[in-house]
Amino acid sequence: MKKTKTYVILSLIILCSCVNSSVIITDLRCEYQNSPINIDEQNPRFTWTYQTHKTRYEQTAYKLDIALSQRDLEEGHFFWTSGKTKGNINRAEYTGNEGLESHTRYYWRVSSWDQNDQTYVSGIQCFETAMIKTSDWCAEWITDKEDKSFGPAPIFRKTFLVEKEVVSAKLYISAASYYLLYLNGEKATDVKLDPGYTHYNKRNLYSTFDISRLLQKGENVVATVLGNGFYNADAPVATWEFEKALWRDRAKMIMEIHVEYTDGTIAIIPTDDTWKTSTGPHVYNNIYSGETYDARKEISGWKLPYFDDSQWSLAVAVDSPSPLLVSQTMQPMRVTREIPAVSMKAFGDTVFVFDLGINLSGVCNIKLKGEEGTKVTLTHGELIKDNGRIEMRNLDIYYNPMEGIKFQTDTYFLKGEGEESFTPEFTYHGFRYVEVRSDKPVQLSKNDLTAHFIHTDLEKTGHFSCSNELLNKIWAATNQSYLSNLHSIPTDCPQREKNGWTADGHIAIDLALLNYDGILFYEKWMDDFIDNQRPEGNISGIVPTSGWGYEDWIGPVWDAALFIIPDAIERYYGDTRIIYKMYNTCEKYLYYLKSREDESGTVTYGIGDWVYYKTQTPTDYTTTCFYYWDNMLMARFAEITGHNSEPYKKKAGELKEFINKKYFNAETWTYANGSQTSQAVALALSIVPEEYEAKVAEKLNKTVVDNNYFLDFGVLGSKYVPRMLSKHGYAETAYRMATQEEAPSWGNWIRLGFTTLAETWVLSPEFRDASINHIFLGDISAWMINTLAGINYDVEHRGFEKIIIKPDYIEDLSWVKGEYKSVKGMIKSEWKREGKKITLEVSIPANTSATIFTDKEIEVGGGSYKFEFDK
């Protein structure tokens, strides 16, 4: 046998001889943000990473110092210090007895010590507090005198004087549901559909902006327009009963401007009943239907300081929609790309169909010329008919049109003054195609329509590519689907539903956190779960909800998001705050499930392997499995938070014994009906007795191979089957499944020309119930990073304190590249094949360690490594 050779090459660069210059503390963040101005958390978190050219750097201790000025920090006059704290955790929390004050800037830095007791000191960062408590607000919520059914959007304005030199100015604003914000005629922010969607009768979010540059000496004016969103949904537009929501009311807002002058004084401009209000060109808006804008109703100059608003009405002060007004620290929604049309087909001079070339979420900007009063509609869809016109049947299924209102359709009435431009502000759509229709002739070219891709603007942290272009396209389509379903909550689809389905969220959590910095986004969504829970302990299938979705047909497999998402955040970030926060909610939910148990001590209701291809896995089996997994995770949560974990361990043990007694055939190594999902779920959730794991995995592999390497599962199988095949030595089988191009497969969607992932493996001939922008079948993207690139966390050292690099060197692939910017720093894994030789290059962040699998296991510290070996 030929002797295997392994070569390790470590690049070491020595910087200049300056003291401690070989280690830099970098990426300092407060509450996972860079220099935030919106902190309302009394115990903010601080994180940092390291850049180093040392062969190995290990933090043995750190010290976090906070002061009220940069000078105080430099001179050692601290507001608070953690003191020297042992450990390699690059995360700290303010735990001082003195509460943080609202509207205050704090300065901070980190000192660290390495294994040689060498000291390193970071640069200085700062953070600012906003409204620490809801009671800090002096402003009032305001609206106008109209009823919630009144279509035109309310507009507001308030003038104020700036008579002295300004040091800084902050603006704090919330609305139910959305706002447009202007200062002295200029848009004050680039955010869209802000603030985030919540249970509006339980919690509202506010945003914070620095508006210093927009103020001017003398008279100033702040102006707003309010949109409805989910707060004021018309009846009976959608099927989810938002028109019946307890919170439903006329759009309203609250705002405070704080102007700090050089003489130390502060002026506050709050919303109250002295503000002026009217209506303008935004004559209708609905989050599902779209927006109607009548340019003939535009009011010239109303956003400027010296406009005469004497004929306008006074605003009406109203009660707060909810008891909580909380800072929105998650990233806002923005236009992240402007996408030009790739083609346009004209059907005469009144109908035009544009193709954007990619499926997305957002709205369009259209440029028009025409007669005054010309009505132009833009209808947005995912498919086109054979005749080139837009196909809406796959989207209209859940839509109940009102008279004169179409689904996913924006309407513009021209004012007839040269070239006009229209971009909706209070809605978003899911689409690739746009059919533009006018009631009078207009002239349009391909260049007259551009799509604005709108989603929550998370930082991209993961990348993958390989020599198989089909996999690259699947990975790109998965990311496009994920972003298209990121609108302050993780949604199922961006067109007909826009709902935060719980299973969609937990099935997609790994692809989410491997590709995007999502901790603040998912912590916000977990707040929605807390607000969603009923007194008896159950939650709904969509979060938030108007009251729809608490029925038994949804059930525990969906509800498992309560446990799986907090666990995932702790796995990826090493941060346990969300577990502490969710503990009571999770505990209350398990009490509820206990009240629903049958005589066997389990629960069996609800959905299971949704959208399966042919073979349906028994739902009583999957529900029981996830009931077991809830208790397993709850036992871990109890240990983390200092509670008694034994009751949950005991219940999990009983359920595991029950599952293996009722559903497992030890002679055939089969769970339930032997479906691909049945085998994979048992393996993934650690239900299989250790002595049978290899046989159950072998049976799973045989089931796939006997099906000619085709998948036969739904949403649960899409996550667990490829992973369990790879984990147990059958990565080549998983790869062959993942690269199929005939239906059912991910590749078939690409072959059909889809740029996002479909909801079902095969579209029905009638195009009914078949969105083609869903994310819940997309974990195959995370599988690529975990399995093909081999980037994984060590389950015993969460938050990527220890890293596992274990690629499956698939024979059909000649190269793979993967990277992930973890909370510890950038991880890279790249391998290529030349004949029998594999070259693997790996980058491991400082202050971590890694186990790297080549032809053997190798333990390394932070650094860059190159391995060559035969495979």
Side-chain angles (χ1 to χ4, degrees):
M1 180 183 245
K2 184 177 178 180
K3 186 177 180 180
T4 300
K5 298 179 180 179
T6 301
Y7 304 91
V8 181
I9 303 171
L10 171 63
S11 299
L12 172 62
I13 302 174
I14 304 298
L15 294 178
C16 66
S17 59
C18 301
V19 176
N20 302 341
S21 62
S22 60
V23 175
I24 300 172
I25 304 174
T26 186
D27 196 23
L28 279 74
R29 298 195 293 173
C30 172
E31 282 296 300
Y32 299 94
Q33 302 177 78
N34 295 308
S35 301
I37 62 173
N38 59 0
I39 301 302
D40 69 349
E41 169 60 55
Q42 276 288 6
N43 302 105
R45 297 162 290 183
F46 301 86
T47 60
W48 58 92
T49 60
Y50 293 93
Q51 291 182 359
T52 178
H53 296 290
K54 282 175 169 281
T55 53
R56 184 172 185 131
Y57 173 80
E58 180 183 347
Q59 174 193 294
T60 58
Y62 72 85
K63 182 164 74 79
L64 171 67
D65 300 323
I66 302 175
L68 289 170
S69 71
Q70 186 167 333
R71 174 177 289 184
D72 283 351
L73 195 62
E74 292 169 341
E75 295 179 352
H77 304 305
F78 302 138
F79 172 77
W80 178 81
T81 180
S82 68
K84 189 173 181 180
T85 305
K86 291 183 179 181
N88 74 331
I89 304 299
N90 58 330
R91 182 180 63 257
E93 179 179 307
Y94 170 68
T95 57
N97 294 324
E98 187 174 350
L100 301 181
E101 296 290 334
S102 296
H103 314 300
T104 303
R105 176 177 291 183
Y106 295 87
Y107 296 81
W108 65 284
R109 70 182 177 191
V110 173
S111 302
S112 72
W113 289 262
D114 67 9
Q115 62 270 32
N116 300 315
D117 208 32
Q118 184 74 49
T119 306
Y120 305 89
V121 181
S122 75
I124 295 174
Q125 272 288 0
C126 63
F127 69 93
E128 290 187 47
T129 52
M131 308 282 189
I132 291 290
K133 303 183 295 293
T134 299
S135 59
D136 289 335
W137 287 82
C138 65
E140 297 177 285
W141 284 85
I142 60 171
T143 186
D144 63 11
K145 296 179 180 179
E146 302 298 341
D147 183 77
K148 61 189 176 186
S149 61
F150 187 66
I155 62 177
F156 300 89
R157 54 179 272 121
K158 177 69 174 181
T159 58
F160 59 97
L161 288 177
V162 172
E163 298 180 309
K164 294 179 283 188
E165 187 175 347
V166 174
V167 174
S168 71
K170 301 294 192 302
L171 184 148
Y172 310 93
I173 182 171
S174 181
S177 180
Y178 305 131
Y179 61 84
L180 299 180
L181 176 63
Y182 303 90
L183 262 296
N184 297 323
E186 184 177 342
K187 266 196 172 181
T189 173
D190 64 350
V191 302
K192 298 290 183 182
L193 303 174
D194 200 64
Y197 170 32
T198 61
H199 290 90
Y200 292 110
N201 58 335
K202 301 288 185 65
R203 183 188 313 253
N204 293 86
L205 304 179
Y206 70 89
S207 298
T208 303
F209 302 105
D210 189 324
I211 58 167
S212 304
R213 68 175 184 84
L214 297 173
L215 298 186
Q216 60 192 22
K217 197 70 175 291
E219 187 163 320
N220 292 257
V221 66
V222 57
T224 61
V225 187
L226 303 187
N228 291 323
F230 288 94
Y231 182 67
N232 184 21
D234 298 47
V237 172
T239 195
W240 315 108
E241 299 181 352
F242 289 107
E243 74 279 3
K244 298 178 182 178
L246 293 176
W247 62 62
R248 189 183 169 206
D249 206 347
R250 178 72 167 161
K252 59 193 64 175
M253 64 171 283
I254 189 171
M255 179 198 299
E256 281 184 26
I257 297 174
H258 288 223
V259 182
E260 181 182 357
Y261 297 113
T262 53
D263 64 5
T265 59
I266 295 175
I268 299 177
I269 299 92
T271 46
D272 56 26
D273 57 9
T274 66
W275 283 52
K276 291 298 189 72
T277 183
S278 186
T279 58
H282 295 86
V283 297
Y284 175 81
N285 65 90
N286 178 278
I287 195 67
Y288 290 101
S289 299
E291 185 169 323
T292 300
Y293 186 96
D294 190 339
R296 298 168 297 179
K297 296 180 180 293
E298 290 179 345
I299 304 170
S300 179
W302 78 275
K303 293 174 282 191
L304 298 174
Y306 296 100
F307 173 77
D308 181 6
D309 60 13
S310 60
Q311 300 303 307
W312 285 28
S313 301
L314 291 173
V316 179
V318 293
D319 291 338
S320 172
S322 75
L324 291 177
L325 188 50
V326 180
S327 180
Q328 178 174 284
T329 55
M330 72 169 177
Q331 299 85 341
M333 284 186 268
R334 291 189 175 95
V335 176
T336 61
R337 289 172 61 193
E338 293 188 7
I339 302 170
V342 297
S343 67
M344 187 273 285
K345 184 176 182 180
F347 297 82
D349 55 9
T350 59
V351 179
F352 310 83
V353 177
F354 292 82
D355 179 4
L356 280 306
I358 190 169
N359 208 5
L360 70 141
S361 63
V363 295
C364 288
N365 170 264
I366 189 169
K367 294 178 172 60
L368 296 159
K369 289 183 180 179
E371 296 180 23
E372 179 183 357
T374 300
K375 179 182 179 181
V376 179
T377 59
L378 290 75
T379 300
H380 304 72
E382 296 183 316
L383 301 167
I384 54 172
K385 300 175 182 177
D386 292 340
N387 64 3
R389 297 291 295 275
I390 198 163
E391 172 63 81
M392 296 294 287
R393 284 182 296 169
N394 72 313
L395 303 181
D396 280 341
I397 181 172
Y398 291 132
Y399 181 71
N400 302 309
M402 296 168 60
E403 184 177 351
I405 303 294
K406 293 183 177 180
F407 183 46
Q408 287 219 133
T409 298
D410 300 317
T411 304
Y412 182 79
F413 291 91
L414 277 72
K415 58 185 173 184
E417 299 177 3
E419 184 176 90
E420 303 178 38
S421 179
F422 170 52
T423 307
E425 298 283 5
F426 296 124
T427 190
Y428 75 93
H429 311 297
F431 64 100
R432 172 174 173 171
Y433 303 97
V434 182
E435 182 167 295
V436 179
R437 302 184 68 178
S438 62
D439 62 357
K440 297 177 184 177
V442 295
Q443 296 297 316
L444 290 176
S445 71
K446 176 172 70 73
N447 298 326
D448 289 326
L449 186 135
T450 302
H452 289 185
F453 188 19
I454 298 174
H455 58 82
T456 301
D457 191 15
L458 299 188
E459 178 191 354
K460 191 81 172 75
T461 55
H463 296 274
F464 174 86
S465 58
C466 69
S467 57
N468 186 318
E469 190 56 28
L470 176 63
L471 287 184
N472 295 337
K473 289 180 179 179
I474 295 171
W475 185 83
T478 303
N479 279 265
Q480 183 67 14
S481 296
Y482 180 70
L483 292 178
S484 295
N485 284 290
L486 214 61
H487 294 95
S488 79
I489 62 170
T491 64
D492 59 332
C493 56
Q495 357 71 4
R496 63 188 195 195
E497 293 195 40
K498 298 183 166 88
N499 284 322
W501 281 97
T502 48
D504 299 46
H506 78 68
I507 290 294
I509 192 63
D510 288 293
L511 75 89
L513 297 183
L514 278 171
N515 283 295
Y516 299 92
D517 183 13
I519 183 170
L520 297 178
F521 178 82
Y522 284 100
E523 284 182 336
K524 179 268 174 189
W525 198 37
M526 291 297 100
D527 282 341
D528 296 330
F529 276 67
I530 293 171
D531 295 341
N532 177 271
Q533 189 172 44
R534 283 182 165 174
E536 53 267 38
N538 60 330
I539 64 171
S540 67
I542 59 172
V543 178
T545 182
S546 65
W548 183 95
Y550 289 93
E551 296 84 357
D552 281 359
W553 67 268
I554 298 172
V557 173
W558 261 232
D559 299 345
L562 267 175
F563 303 88
I564 291 173
I565 291 178
D567 179 68
I569 290 172
E570 196 257 341
R571 283 188 283 121
Y572 281 87
Y573 288 87
D575 192 317
T576 60
R577 176 167 291 182
I578 192 62
I579 291 175
Y580 280 90
K581 193 170 189 178
M582 294 297 296
Y583 190 86
N584 290 339
T585 303
C586 293
E587 183 178 52
K588 191 173 183 179
Y589 174 77
L590 288 180
Y591 284 145
Y592 171 76
L593 284 193
K594 188 169 184 62
S595 74
R596 300 296 309 276
E597 288 180 354
D598 61 21
E599 63 278 2
S600 301
T602 187
V603 289
T604 58
Y605 65 92
I607 313 173
D609 197 27
W610 188 246
V611 296
Y612 59 89
Y613 179 58
K614 285 186 177 178
T615 303
Q616 181 178 10
T617 301
T619 57
D620 58 317
Y621 164 71
T622 52
T623 297
T624 303
C625 289
F626 275 84
Y627 188 21
Y628 154 80
W629 194 237
D630 290 349
N631 279 276
M632 286 291 289
L633 294 179
M634 192 64 183
R636 178 174 172 79
F637 295 175
E639 291 173 349
I640 288 170
T641 58
H643 290 84
N644 183 10
S645 64
E646 290 307 314
Y648 305 109
K649 290 179 180 179
K650 182 174 182 294
K651 183 63 180 178
E654 292 169 353
L655 287 166
K656 182 175 181 177
E657 182 179 357
F658 172 78
I659 293 167
N660 282 306
K661 183 177 180 180
K662 179 173 181 178
Y663 295 104
F664 181 49
N665 185 327
E667 295 181 0
T668 61
W669 318 318
T670 299
Y671 277 87
N673 62 346
S675 68
Q676 294 177 11
T677 295
S678 296
Q679 301 295 104
V681 164
L683 289 165
L685 303 189
S686 302
I687 292 169
V688 183
E690 186 176 353
E691 65 270 25
Y692 288 106
E693 279 189 356
K695 291 300 184 181
V696 172
E698 179 185 337
K699 184 62 178 287
L700 169 62
N701 180 66
K702 186 176 187 303
T703 303
V704 176
V705 172
D706 288 350
N707 199 41
N708 201 22
Y709 295 91
F710 276 96
L711 65 84
D712 185 13
F713 46 64
V715 63
L716 297 181
S718 72
K719 185 175 184 77
Y720 298 122
V721 170
R723 288 177 176 276
M724 292 304 102
L725 287 169
S726 298
K727 179 181 179 180
H728 292 278
Y730 302 104
E732 293 285 349
T733 298
Y735 175 80
R736 288 188 64 175
M737 175 193 293
T739 54
Q740 293 279 10
E741 294 188 52
E742 300 296 326
S745 67
W746 295 275
N748 186 248
W749 294 335
I750 303 301
R751 185 175 175 182
L752 291 172
F754 295 174
T755 59
T756 49
L757 307 183
E759 181 184 12
T760 55
W761 296 113
V762 179
L763 301 188
S764 64
E766 302 83 15
F767 297 112
R768 303 299 285 175
D769 208 21
S771 158
I772 55 172
N773 200 346
H774 261 63
I775 189 57
F776 68 174
L777 296 172
D779 189 73
I780 194 69
S781 169
W783 171 83
M784 294 178 200
I785 295 177
N786 291 150
T787 297
L788 302 184
I791 298 174
N792 297 274
Y793 56 83
D794 186 318
V795 293
E796 299 300 323
H797 301 84
R798 295 189 170 203
F800 288 87
E801 292 174 25
K802 185 169 184 180
I803 298 156
I804 305 294
I805 302 293
K806 191 177 182 181
D808 280 307
Y809 303 101
I810 301 297
E811 290 186 9
D812 185 57
L813 295 175
S814 57
W815 61 269
V816 170
K817 294 181 181 180
E819 66 178 46
Y820 169 60
K821 184 183 176 184
S822 74
V823 72
K824 284 283 195 175
M826 183 62 76
I827 304 166
K828 294 184 179 181
S829 173
E830 176 180 351
W831 62 268
K832 62 181 178 180
R833 182 193 304 277
E834 294 179 354
K836 293 184 178 180
K837 186 179 75 173
I838 298 287
T839 301
L840 172 65
E841 296 186 55
V842 175
S843 292
I844 303 299
N847 196 37
T848 66
S849 61
T851 302
I852 300 175
F853 289 78
T854 56
D855 57 323
K856 57 186 178 182
E857 294 183 30
I858 303 170
E859 300 292 328
V860 301
S864 297
Y865 303 89
K866 183 176 181 179
F867 307 89
E868 293 180 353
F869 54 95
D870 292 340
K871 187 73 174 178

